Amino acid sequence: MSAGSSALGVDAEAEVHSAREMAGGPAPVVWARRAVSGALGDDGDDVARWASRCRVAVVDAWDLGTAERFKALAPDTRILCRKHLTMADPAETGPRTSSGISYARAEAHGGWFATDRAGQRIGWDEGTGPVHLRVWDPEYRAAWVDAVTAEVRDSPFDGVLAVGDLEATPPLDLPLPDLGSKGQQREAVDNLIHAAGAALVGDGKILVTALGDARRSPDRWSGLARWGGVLEPGWMSTVGGRLLDPGTARQQADRLCQGEEHSLPEDAVAILRTPVPVDLAEEAAEDLVRYGLAAFWVFGGGRGLYAATSPDGSHSHWITDMQWDLGLPLEPPSVVVNLWSRTFSAGWVAVNLASDGRRRRHVTLPTGYLLPDGSRPPEQVVLGPHQGMVLVRDPGTVQI
């Protein structure tokens, strides 16, 4: 037994196995954990809970203990190491950091810091905290690829989650002395992703890239998925958390649909993350998570993985509905105005994409299903704007 397994004990391992058997295997969800301050406390109980629930876990590069515990408890769960593409943080002293190139290494090199027209290093928060690195420098990109592949090669990580695409970083005041346009900056980021993806795949790992512009650049969304997958950090919303109107939400959802132009490769990991504001009341947060989950099932048809976290990734949300694998879709999505629904081999889902507060929808529910608390639902419910509902088949009344 590995050190990670013994840290949790045989009882925890048996509990995880039992929970997975009862649920029919891990649900199509993702657990993400980020130590914003760089410090981690005792997370044994949290790891044990999520090991029975999820198919992918994302942790910090330095958090090897959590990665090892996950692998001991759930060997089939894919563990991704979070790595930033274009940033270095002087507060991270290593030896493992959230960046591909640490601040100390960039300092020693001297030429990888992005500088403004006055020759000053460009920081994220008015000159303090993390700083931009010159992703448009081919030498930097090669060093990033070498460092990251070497770090994860003989580790419990199955791959890398690359973060820090242009949609999620402070914009540069262009032009800079050595960078003329945002298009050039985006091309440099893409070149880094492709080079890193090829190297990681060559080592038997994967690269999943967080991209916040799927609906605006669908060819980029599908093209960068070739190395393992993509993550939409603002599912049914902007990256900043503003919920999308129905038309824009459909544009985003189309990236999941098989057979559509620019759809993802069949074997790509597609992670859809609902950002949940930290100041949101518990009931409102649960409604938001359920809304994103329902949209995930209706439009994705069970393809991909779902996550709900705080915007900074430090906390993952869980509702009972997330434990269900609803199986295969039995029909295409159906719609009446902005109310969408879909039937699965093991469940039924509805979601109201409306933004207008007056667009409440009365929904007649099918029979033979159960609510998250195990009770039978009423004959009819009202779904307000940006609300969803997930039901699971009742095995006592419906033959699966």
Side-chain angles (χ1 to χ4, degrees), residues 236-305:
M236 293 287 111
S237 72
T238 64
V239 176
R242 180 178 57 81
L243 293 176
L244 302 180
D245 63 79
T248 308
R250 280 306 318 279
Q251 289 179 349
Q252 187 187 64
D254 282 346
R255 301 288 74 79
L256 278 180
C257 299
Q258 281 300 302
E260 297 288 338
E261 186 181 6
H262 308 300
S263 61
L264 297 183
E266 183 65 34
D267 58 347
V269 175
I271 303 174
L272 308 179
R273 193 283 295 261
T274 294
V276 182
V278 294
D279 57 351
L280 205 59
E282 183 177 352
E283 184 176 350
E286 183 172 323
D287 284 346
L288 178 57
V289 173
R290 184 169 290 112
Y291 171 67
L293 179 65
F296 160 80
W297 280 109
V298 166
F299 298 114
R303 182 164 189 263
L305 302 168

Side-chain angles (χ1 to χ4, degrees), residues 15-26 51-54 74 76-77:
E15 183 179 346
V16 169
H17 180 71
S18 175
R20 285 197 161 195
E21 281 194 332
M22 290 176 64
S52 67
R53 298 171 172 174
C54 66
D76 294 335
T77 296

